[in-house]
Amino acid sequence: MTWYRVAKENSMKDGDLAKISVNNQEVLVIRDGDKFYATSHLCTHEEYDLSEAFMDDHQLICPNHFATFDPKDGSVISPPEGAGDISPLKSFKTRVENGDVMVEI
Ligand code: FES
């Protein structure tokens, strides 16, 4: 596991999402208030690109069929209506160091 710089802390506003290519994989970096989180970037329902998702009340919402995920750990808060269970997103550790957002991959 290695820590990678993925963004400047002040380059992302509250609620911003950024798809960043790190070590040959795409990671979704999420800012929620003063916190940063990182998850896999494809919705586990039908692989919608979650860089087009949005944050609402600390929840990451896929705009395709409104699956809702917890950005802290990628867990599913609610699957799309009628879809049954869906898998959680992959979650990565984050930290802020000297104004840089770091993700452990
Ligand atoms: S693709 Fe995300 S909810 Fe269906």
Side-chain angles (χ1 to χ4, degrees), residues 79-99:
E81 198 174 319
D85 288 343
I86 60 172
S87 301
L89 300 174
K90 192 167 179 191
S91 179
F92 303 93
K93 287 185 184 164
T94 61
R95 70 176 193 227
V96 175
E97 184 179 293
N98 299 325

Side-chain angles (χ1 to χ4, degrees), residues 24-97:
N24 297 320
Q25 64 181 298
E26 309 271 26
V27 172
L28 185 72
V29 180
I30 302 156
R31 181 167 189 160
D32 184 33
D34 291 337
K35 301 268 197 309
F36 289 87
Y37 304 109
T39 66
S40 47
H41 80 290
L42 292 176
C43 182
T44 53
H45 178 228
E46 289 184 358
E47 302 201 334
Y48 196 80
D49 184 345
L50 292 174
S51 65
E52 296 180 26
F54 59 93
M55 290 291 294
D56 184 44
D57 195 22
H58 311 290
Q59 300 180 359
L60 177 68
I61 302 174
C62 176
N64 206 17
H65 312 98
F66 302 104
T68 305
F69 300 93
D70 187 337
K72 290 191 200 77
D73 59 6
S75 61
V76 178
I77 296 170
S78 61
E81 198 174 319
D85 288 343
I86 60 172
S87 301
L89 300 174
K90 192 167 179 191
S91 179
F92 303 93
K93 287 185 184 164
T94 61
R95 70 176 193 227
V96 175
E97 184 179 293

Side-chain angles (χ1 to χ4, degrees), residues 5 7-10 95-102:
R5 279 183 180 74
K8 286 284 182 194
E9 182 181 16
N10 61 10
R95 70 176 193 227
V96 175
E97 184 179 293
N98 299 325
D100 291 321
V101 182
M102 313 282 293

